[in-house]
Amino acid sequence: VAGSTPPSAVYTSLTAGSVVTARLGTWTGSPAPVLTYKWFTCPATTTQPTNKLAPATCTLRGSNADLTILSTYKSLKLLLEVTASTDGAGIATNISALVVIP
């Protein structure tokens, strides 16, 4: 299993009450991988991880396709982590770019 395009967050606004949707990226594997995703908020000082995993300092906020932005997320960073798995080709993880929640 491999990710060729990283996942991303799709949104029109990041204000409280707005909804962010997961774009899962592009994955390859045989059989076709099963994708799961997790939304995290991270401290404002978090830098973009290079290991394709959410840092331990981030907080899991949901695992649905959509995430509603809460007022408590203000000034944090948003991160989407996608995991692809297959019976024969293993497991791989990729993350989105960090997005600042104003």
Side-chain angles (χ1 to χ4, degrees):
V1 176
S4 56
T5 309
S8 60
V10 179
Y11 55 89
T12 54
S13 171
L14 290 172
T15 57
S18 62
V19 176
V20 180
T21 300
R23 182 173 290 153
L24 301 176
T26 305
W27 297 86
T28 57
S30 183
V34 174
L35 303 176
T36 58
Y37 34 94
K38 296 178 183 174
W39 292 101
F40 293 88
T41 54
C42 305
T45 56
T46 304
T47 57
Q48 184 67 36
T50 57
N51 65 354
K52 298 185 179 184
L53 294 170
T57 55
C58 298
T59 303
L60 179 64
R61 298 297 182 174
S63 57
N64 295 323
D66 297 327
L67 176 74
T68 301
I69 300 297
L70 303 179
S71 60
T72 54
Y73 299 172
K74 185 176 179 66
S75 300
L76 297 175
K77 292 183 178 177
L78 184 66
L79 182 74
L80 173 62
E81 179 183 279
V82 177
T83 301
S85 60
T86 67
D87 289 336
I91 297 173
T93 304
N94 206 348
I95 57 172
S96 66
L98 284 165
V99 176
V100 176
I101 302 169

